[in-house]
Amino acid sequence: MGKGGKSHQEGEENMAAWLVDLNTLKIQPFKLPPLGPHDVRVRMKAVGICGSDVHFLKTLRLADFVVKEPMVIGHECAGIIEEIGSEVKNLVPGDRVALEPGIGCWRCDICKEGRYNICPDMKFFATPPIHGSLARQVVHPADLCFKLPDNLSLEEGAMCEPLSVAVHACRRANIGPETNVLVMGAGPIGLVTLLAARAFGAPRIVIVDVDDYRLSVANNLGADGVVKVSTNMQDIPEEVERICEVMGAVGVHVTFDCAGFNKTMSTALSATRAGGKVCLVGLGHNEMTVPLTPAAAREVDIIGIFRYKNTWPLCIELLRSGKIDVKPLITHRFGFSQKEVEEAFETSARGGDAIKVMFNLRLSTR
């Protein structure tokens, strides 16, 4: 878990970005726990900002998770092994690794079934009360640290986290060479879902958003079609018609709603062909009013996803082989000073041309 932080290098105090109050981040000391036999100590080098990090900053809560006391933020991360526990056999100091941020209990029936991502006792970076990874160093289980090949940067390693969401969604929806895909939302998760669906073999992918710039990014990443939509519920029938025209005669087999709002989910359910699937990836609204009965009458299946499971090895291979390139998504980079942390979160929250904002906790880009 984000087990926390005191540096083991004499004279160096471990520092982290703490969410201390509404819209308030402070770089403060972060004491690390003792290194367990199966743990490693990792010096963080690249940490991305996720929408959930921004949401916690702006509201101090996300769904049922409430920040009740100061918490270290961040969970999209990669770094370099500095120390290993006595029983760690697969990693050595100096290894460059991407960190999977969630730790299941491995005692409950859900974990034993292999679906540890929905473990009720999951300990996940920067999900209250667990501390995150926007820190100089963290302690983490070795089996959740995945060695990066030489041709991948640490920034790409950090991008394995958002990419894992997309890979898990594609697995859940059984994306393949006969699956036409519609993606609702061209934010960071929508764009990695586009990339993952293509890597899984989807022959035609259409992406929808309200923002021209993000649709242009989707075009550059290889979307077969883009549709600009409004935020007005009354526009859904006309927009569904346009989506279906752009997709073509075969229609939409699977829609990924990467926003999770009333309008996006209603559009998804209406645009997906009979017998298709809608995969709810984004969790924008806790409750929605959607046309469920008409969708059920067409046997449109609704699939939920939450985080991911066993995705890091595949993500790393997709990046290593060049089947997926996430580098164009990293639009802004910041260092790790108080001023830069504040500016980075402001940039991410503002949106616009900011897709993925990345912290470089180092001098070089590797």
Side-chain angles (χ1 to χ4, degrees):
M1 70 188 94
K3 286 187 173 179
K6 164 188 142 192
S7 173
H8 291 247
Q9 292 190 4
E10 187 175 351
E12 180 187 8
E13 187 171 31
N14 190 40
M15 306 298 285
W18 291 78
L19 174 58
V20 297
D21 205 344
L22 197 66
N23 294 313
T24 307
L25 292 164
K26 297 289 184 184
I27 294 182
Q28 296 177 341
F30 180 34
K31 186 176 180 180
L32 287 171
L35 191 74
H38 298 282
D39 294 335
V40 292
R41 181 164 54 86
V42 185
R43 181 169 290 275
M44 291 289 96
K45 295 295 183 180
V47 182
I49 297 179
C50 175
S52 65
D53 296 320
V54 175
H55 203 79
F56 276 127
L57 175 65
K58 298 297 182 183
T59 67
L60 295 181
R61 68 179 303 146
L62 182 65
D64 294 330
F65 299 105
V66 181
V67 180
K68 297 179 180 178
E69 57 187 22
M71 177 186 77
V72 176
I73 204 79
H75 63 270
E76 303 177 359
C77 56
I80 298 174
I81 301 292
E82 292 223 327
E83 185 181 6
I84 63 173
S86 59
E87 297 299 317
V88 176
K89 310 298 182 187
N90 61 323
L91 295 169
V92 298
D95 281 346
R96 301 159 61 252
V97 294
L99 283 68
E100 180 175 352
I103 309 170
C105 74
W106 290 109
R107 293 183 298 274
C108 69
D109 290 342
I110 292 173
C111 280
K112 290 175 182 178
E113 291 167 2
R115 303 184 71 180
Y116 65 90
N117 58 306
I118 50 175
C119 170
D121 293 321
M122 167 69 73
K123 294 178 174 60
F124 194 93
F125 276 148
T127 301
I130 308 301
H131 290 304
S133 60
L134 184 48
R136 290 292 181 188
Q137 300 182 64
V138 300
V139 169
H140 204 57
D143 64 339
L144 294 175
C145 296
F146 298 86
K147 190 173 179 179
L148 294 172
D150 291 340
N151 68 328
L152 292 187
S153 70
L154 287 156
E155 288 187 341
E156 289 171 285
M159 288 295 290
C160 284
E161 198 281 338
L163 181 56
S164 283
V165 174
V167 165
H168 183 55
C170 287
R171 283 174 170 172
R172 288 272 287 153
N174 294 317
I175 299 303
E178 297 180 321
T179 316
N180 285 344
V181 168
L182 172 64
V183 180
M184 304 296 301
I189 293 300
L191 294 172
V192 291
T193 300
L194 160 65
L195 295 174
R198 183 71 80 206
F200 272 66
R204 186 161 182 80
I205 305 171
V206 173
I207 193 163
V208 170
D209 202 273
V210 298
D211 186 86
D212 285 320
Y213 172 75
R214 297 203 168 194
L215 289 176
S216 71
V217 173
N219 259 328
N220 292 335
L221 291 174
D224 298 294
V226 299
V227 178
K228 185 177 181 181
V229 295
S230 74
T231 58
N232 192 331
M233 293 289 290
Q234 281 68 42
D235 293 335
I236 289 177
E238 186 269 332
E239 290 170 355
V240 167
E241 185 176 333
R242 282 197 287 129
I243 289 167
C244 292
E245 288 175 359
V246 173
M247 181 59 76
V250 176
V252 177
H253 296 102
V254 172
T255 299
F256 293 105
D257 182 356
C258 296
F261 298 125
N262 279 327
K263 184 167 188 258
T264 55
M265 194 61 175
S266 296
T267 303
L269 289 169
S270 300
T272 303
R273 60 179 277 174
K277 300 173 186 173
V278 172
C279 185
L280 181 57
V281 181
L283 303 177
H285 283 161
N286 200 40
E287 296 182 359
M288 298 187 221
T289 300
V290 297
L292 197 57
T293 301
R298 293 183 292 115
E299 294 195 352
V300 174
D301 295 338
I302 300 174
I303 302 167
I305 75 151
F306 189 62
R307 296 171 179 158
Y308 30 68
K309 62 184 180 73
N310 301 318
T311 51
W312 259 252
L314 177 55
C315 288
I316 289 171
E317 175 56 24
L318 290 171
L319 295 172
R320 183 205 65 79
S321 65
K323 290 182 178 178
I324 289 180
D325 181 8
V326 292
K327 295 188 293 294
L329 300 181
I330 305 171
T331 55
H332 294 73
R333 293 173 173 85
F334 291 85
F336 189 57
S337 67
Q338 178 68 43
K339 180 180 179 182
E340 287 176 295
V341 167
E342 292 172 355
E343 289 179 349
F345 272 85
E346 289 170 3
T347 300
S348 184
R350 188 167 60 244
D353 64 346
I355 303 298
K356 180 55 63 177
V357 177
M358 186 74 65
F359 289 104
N360 288 328
L361 286 79
R362 62 198 189 285
L363 295 177
S364 67
T365 58
R366 289 295 300 270

